[in-house]
Amino acid sequence: MQKRIGAQTVRLEQPVIIQSAASTVGQKEGEGPLGHYFDEIEEDVMMGKDSWEQAESCFVAQTMELALKKAELTAKDMDYILCGDLLNQCIGSTFGIKEMDIPFFGLFGACSTMGEALSLGSMLIDGGFAKHILCGASSHFCAAEKQFRFPLPLGVQRPQTSTWTVTGDGSVVLSKNGHGPQITEITTGKIIDMGITDSNNMGAAMAPAAVDLLLTHFQDTGRTPEDYDVIVTGDLGMIGHRLVIEMMTKEGYVMDERYTDCGLKIFDHNTQDTHAGGSGCACAAVTFCAYYYPKLLSGEIKRMLFIPTGALLSADSVQQGLTIPAIAHALVIESEKEAAQ
Amino acid sequence: MQKRIGAQTVRLEQPVIIQSAASTVGQKEGEGPLGHYFDEIEEDVMMGKDSWEQAESCFVAQTMELALKKAELTAKDMDYILCGDLLNQCIGSTFGIKEMDIPFFGLFGACSTMGEALSLGSMLIDGGFAKHILCGASSHFCAAEKQFRFPLPLGVQRPQTSTWTVTGDGSVVLSKNGHGPQITEITTGKIIDMGITDSNNMGAAMAPAAVDLLLTHFQDTGRTPEDYDVIVTGDLGMIGHRLVIEMMTKEGYVMDERYTDCGLKIFDHNTQDTHAGGSGCACAAVTFCAYYYPKLLSGEIKRMLFIPTGALLSADSVQQGLTIPAIAHALVIESEKEAAQ
């Protein structure tokens, strides 16, 4: 069977099962519109640790354990673990999983990391190299602000175009066999750099990458937006979401109410002071695990196009006046019934 | 065919060809014992750019182009690009490849990154998802010192246990078909943390990960060190290399002169003032591409066990007094003739 079905898209020979999905978030996320969907809401953003970075690792460890428990599996059953985060040298992930004793591939895709983990994980399983893979992504508002912008105690005002990094971790167990929503196709993004340099407007920096990916996906598969119940980008927020609609309209695609963004879903713009919306690796990861996964499981959503988006900047690149390259990765995820048809 | 042959090892159904290998290094590496093996030696460590980080991206771009040229292929022929580096948020890689227009998976495995790229790249090809994949890893002495230790202009003395980050990039083209050395088996490492906190002694921090990987590999495959012409770790340097021999001896394995380390090969300890040896993502990558690849190509080396090693620390984790988790990934690479037998 030919697995490559287009320039950037592959179709799995046998759909890969998302056997479980778990999410842990901070209090602010718990107070948002998706509050009652999350598995665990942590009141203490420090998780009892001495630093925000170590707290993020606790979110990782706790959520991964929960994903295993929900799948009724243990770390010993996992052939690989694939995860990443925004912190320098990905210490949120490495310190979070280092006791788990699972062969590890560390990923860096910025906020597209959950898409990268699901993509590579699915291909490793469909390629015959694994039965079970643990995938996840995490971020922490305080650690991200300190690292990418300003230390929180400075109290620097945030511009209205900025997004709010989600605190939490979303993790899933991918399996060769079993029951659950299924990953059927993967479109892998290229780096797109439109020359934007404002690190407080990452929605604008990432929107062109999401558009490039959407156009490629529709071209590769011969589909249109109407073929999906929902199309969900990762963390473009209000500005990026609007830009995607505008740019896609120019390309002849109608992105109607079936298109939304995790950064819009997770916070209440009117009451939570999060400006342009949510962002961070955890934004797409926890929104998928908490909100969309159950709807795919129940069949309420039959076919979803899930597109985590990432801005590939660092504090150094920003300080050196460089542009913000961006990327997006897409997964076609179908309810069990839909995929069986 | 069963591809999993042990707890952490897979055997590819069809060996993956390393169709080309390219290396670019800085002047210091060019003055070392491997000087005449490298494809390109850059006298200007800034590569004409304004920063060390941007210079690293030039090494990446230039070496990747050379790997393509040597394979007589273009970026358009590549299904994926897999690479990573040590810089915060992997900007060495992302800014290096952003114009190449190839679907991209960003990796973070610290100095084990070349092993991670070759592992995932091989599995994606053997899984039927790609015909050609560009893999690489880079590092830059000045950028790494600034980020992990002290800004160079401070002139801080380096302890004798410290290693010298290699400046350069090593990249290869992996192909489904063609001629060249072949990747046949992959053993993927777990994170090993023995509680070492001295970031100026990364050889000691990484050696236990290399040992764990070696023991697992020999157990999974039923082989011994004698089954390989060479066994080469990534960047353990003098201290880590000696520790591996000691620890393996205790486990009943004789690691004789067939075992060496890229960190020992690349610099002359007596004349180059590099203390414990070479390190950095580029250490294993350029040493493999420049020195070992031609020997596999000619058949002088028939079967190699290549084990890039990584220390998963960050400046933050060090400043917070945390330990240094480490990882190692192994590839069995055979000359074309050997693999055909």
Side-chain angles (χ1 to χ4, degrees):
Chain A
M1 182 191 148
Q2 178 56 260
K3 294 186 182 181
R4 285 200 78 86
I5 60 167
Q8 295 171 232
T9 304
V10 297
R11 183 174 294 149
L12 302 178
E13 194 166 336
Q14 182 189 322
V16 165
I17 315 295
I18 308 178
Q19 203 175 335
S20 71
S23 59
T24 310
V25 296
Q27 191 169 5
K28 191 177 183 83
E29 291 73 20
E31 291 166 353
L34 306 185
H36 56 290
Y37 292 97
F38 300 117
D39 291 312
E40 288 174 19
I41 298 165
E42 297 294 333
E43 280 184 27
D44 175 16
V45 83
M46 295 293 286
M47 299 289 271
K49 294 285 172 184
D50 294 333
S51 74
W52 295 318
E53 292 81 8
Q54 292 169 54
E56 181 168 337
S57 295
C58 286
F59 276 100
V60 173
Q62 191 169 312
T63 314
M64 293 236 164
E65 287 299 339
L66 186 58
L68 288 174
K69 193 175 160 194
K70 283 183 164 192
E72 297 180 359
L73 293 166
T74 69
K76 280 191 199 310
D77 299 310
M78 298 297 112
D79 295 309
Y80 299 106
I81 187 166
L82 301 175
C83 59
D85 61 272
L86 289 172
L87 298 182
N88 295 342
Q89 286 69 56
C90 300
I91 55 168
S93 303
T94 50
F95 282 84
I97 66 150
K98 74 190 176 76
E99 312 297 340
M100 295 189 84
D101 208 31
I102 305 172
F104 169 57
F105 289 122
L107 308 180
F108 180 74
C111 307
S112 74
T113 296
M114 193 62 176
E116 187 179 350
L118 295 175
S119 298
L120 287 168
S122 297
M123 290 194 272
L124 292 186
I125 288 177
D126 194 51
F129 301 103
K131 277 188 188 163
H132 300 292
I133 295 180
L134 194 49
C135 297
S138 63
S139 51
H140 194 295
F141 173 73
C142 309
E145 286 298 305
K146 167 188 155 192
Q147 182 180 279
F148 288 106
R149 284 166 283 266
F150 298 97
L152 289 181
L154 282 184
V156 171
Q157 280 204 322
R158 299 158 45 78
Q160 289 298 319
T161 53
S162 70
T163 46
W164 188 281
T165 303
V166 168
T167 300
D169 179 278
S171 291
V172 304
V173 172
L174 297 184
S175 296
K176 185 173 177 59
N177 304 304
H179 294 284
Q182 314 193 340
I183 296 172
T184 55
E185 290 168 2
I186 298 159
T187 304
T188 304
K190 301 170 174 180
I191 297 179
I192 304 292
D193 185 347
M194 299 298 279
I196 287 174
T197 55
D198 181 0
S199 66
N200 280 307
N201 191 354
M202 293 199 293
M206 293 188 284
V211 167
D212 187 79
L213 201 279
L214 281 163
L215 294 174
T216 302
H217 178 78
F218 292 138
Q219 189 162 13
D220 284 355
T221 59
R223 297 205 194 101
T224 65
E226 292 76 45
D227 292 311
Y228 294 94
D229 295 327
V230 286
I231 298 172
V232 186
T233 45
D235 59 343
L236 301 181
M238 284 163 46
I239 294 167
H241 176 259
R242 197 171 56 225
L243 280 172
V244 165
I245 294 173
E246 282 176 21
M247 293 166 79
M248 289 298 286
T249 303
K250 278 187 191 159
E251 298 287 343
Y253 289 93
V254 178
M255 302 292 280
D256 57 14
E257 74 286 341
R258 78 189 67 214
Y259 167 54
T260 187
D261 180 78
C262 298
L264 293 181
K265 301 289 289 184
I266 197 163
F267 294 123
D268 182 338
H269 172 66
N270 294 315
T271 63
Q272 291 196 286
D273 197 30
T274 47
H275 300 353
S279 64
C281 297
C283 183
V286 303
T287 304
F288 174 77
C289 291
Y291 183 73
Y292 288 108
Y293 181 82
K295 292 184 193 300
L296 285 155
L297 201 59
S298 71
E300 184 185 334
I301 293 174
K302 291 189 177 56
R303 189 192 274 164
M304 171 179 186
L305 187 61
F306 179 43
I307 312 174
T309 37
L312 304 169
L313 80 171
S314 79
D316 290 310
S317 70
V318 171
Q319 283 159 13
Q320 291 175 24
L322 303 182
T323 54
I324 303 176
I327 197 161
H329 299 300
L331 290 301
V332 177
I333 307 174
E334 308 187 46
S335 67
E336 196 169 354
K337 221 178 260 178
E338 186 68 11
Q341 286 174 352
Chain B
M1 180 191 151
Q2 178 57 262
K3 294 184 183 181
R4 286 200 80 85
I5 61 167
Q8 295 170 231
T9 304
V10 297
R11 183 174 294 148
L12 301 178
E13 194 166 334
Q14 182 189 322
V16 166
I17 316 296
I18 308 178
Q19 203 175 337
S20 71
S23 58
T24 311
V25 297
Q27 191 168 4
K28 189 175 184 82
E29 291 71 21
E31 291 165 354
L34 305 186
H36 56 289
Y37 292 98
F38 300 116
D39 292 312
E40 288 174 20
I41 298 166
E42 296 296 332
E43 283 184 26
D44 176 15
V45 83
M46 294 294 286
M47 300 288 272
K49 294 287 173 180
D50 295 331
S51 74
W52 295 318
E53 291 81 8
Q54 291 169 54
E56 181 168 336
S57 295
C58 286
F59 277 99
V60 173
Q62 191 170 310
T63 315
M64 292 237 165
E65 286 300 338
L66 187 57
L68 288 174
K69 193 176 162 194
K70 284 183 164 192
E72 297 179 1
L73 293 166
T74 68
K76 281 192 198 310
D77 298 310
M78 299 295 114
D79 295 310
Y80 299 106
I81 186 166
L82 301 176
C83 60
D85 62 272
L86 289 172
L87 298 182
N88 294 342
Q89 287 69 57
C90 301
I91 56 168
S93 303
T94 50
F95 282 85
I97 66 150
K98 72 190 179 78
E99 312 296 340
M100 296 188 81
D101 208 31
I102 304 172
F104 169 57
F105 289 121
L107 308 181
F108 180 75
C111 308
S112 74
T113 297
M114 194 62 175
E116 188 180 347
L118 295 174
S119 299
L120 287 169
S122 298
M123 290 194 271
L124 293 186
I125 288 176
D126 194 52
F129 301 102
K131 277 188 188 165
H132 300 293
I133 295 180
L134 193 50
C135 298
S138 63
S139 51
H140 194 297
F141 172 74
C142 309
E145 285 298 305
K146 166 187 155 191
Q147 182 178 278
F148 289 106
R149 286 166 284 263
F150 298 98
L152 289 178
L154 282 183
V156 171
Q157 280 204 322
R158 299 158 43 79
Q160 290 297 319
T161 53
S162 70
T163 47
W164 189 282
T165 303
V166 169
T167 299
D169 179 279
S171 291
V172 304
V173 172
L174 298 183
S175 295
K176 185 174 179 61
N177 304 305
H179 295 283
Q182 315 193 336
I183 297 172
T184 55
E185 290 166 1
I186 298 159
T187 304
T188 304
K190 300 170 175 179
I191 297 180
I192 305 291
D193 185 348
M194 300 298 280
I196 286 172
T197 55
D198 181 0
S199 67
N200 280 308
N201 191 353
M202 292 198 293
M206 291 188 285
V211 168
D212 186 80
L213 202 277
L214 281 163
L215 294 175
T216 302
H217 178 77
F218 293 138
Q219 189 164 11
D220 283 355
T221 58
R223 299 205 194 100
T224 66
E226 292 75 45
D227 291 312
Y228 294 94
D229 295 327
V230 287
I231 298 172
V232 186
T233 45
D235 60 342
L236 301 181
M238 284 164 47
I239 294 169
H241 177 259
R242 197 169 59 224
L243 280 173
V244 165
I245 294 173
E246 282 175 21
M247 293 167 80
M248 289 299 285
T249 304
K250 280 189 190 157
E251 298 286 344
Y253 288 93
V254 178
M255 302 293 282
D256 58 13
E257 73 285 343
R258 80 189 65 214
Y259 167 53
T260 188
D261 180 79
C262 298
L264 294 181
K265 302 290 287 184
I266 196 162
F267 293 123
D268 182 337
H269 172 66
N270 295 315
T271 63
Q272 289 196 287
D273 196 29
T274 46
H275 301 353
S279 64
C281 297
C283 183
V286 302
T287 304
F288 174 77
C289 291
Y291 183 72
Y292 289 108
Y293 180 83
K295 292 184 193 299
L296 284 156
L297 201 59
S298 71
E300 182 185 337
I301 292 175
K302 291 189 176 55
R303 189 193 273 165
M304 171 179 188
L305 187 59
F306 180 44
I307 312 176
T309 37
L312 303 168
L313 79 171
S314 79
D316 290 309
S317 70
V318 171
Q319 284 160 12
Q320 291 175 23
L322 302 183
T323 54
I324 303 175
I327 198 161
H329 298 300
L331 289 302
V332 177
I333 307 175
E334 309 187 45
S335 68
E336 195 169 354
K337 221 177 258 178
E338 184 69 10
Q341 287 175 350

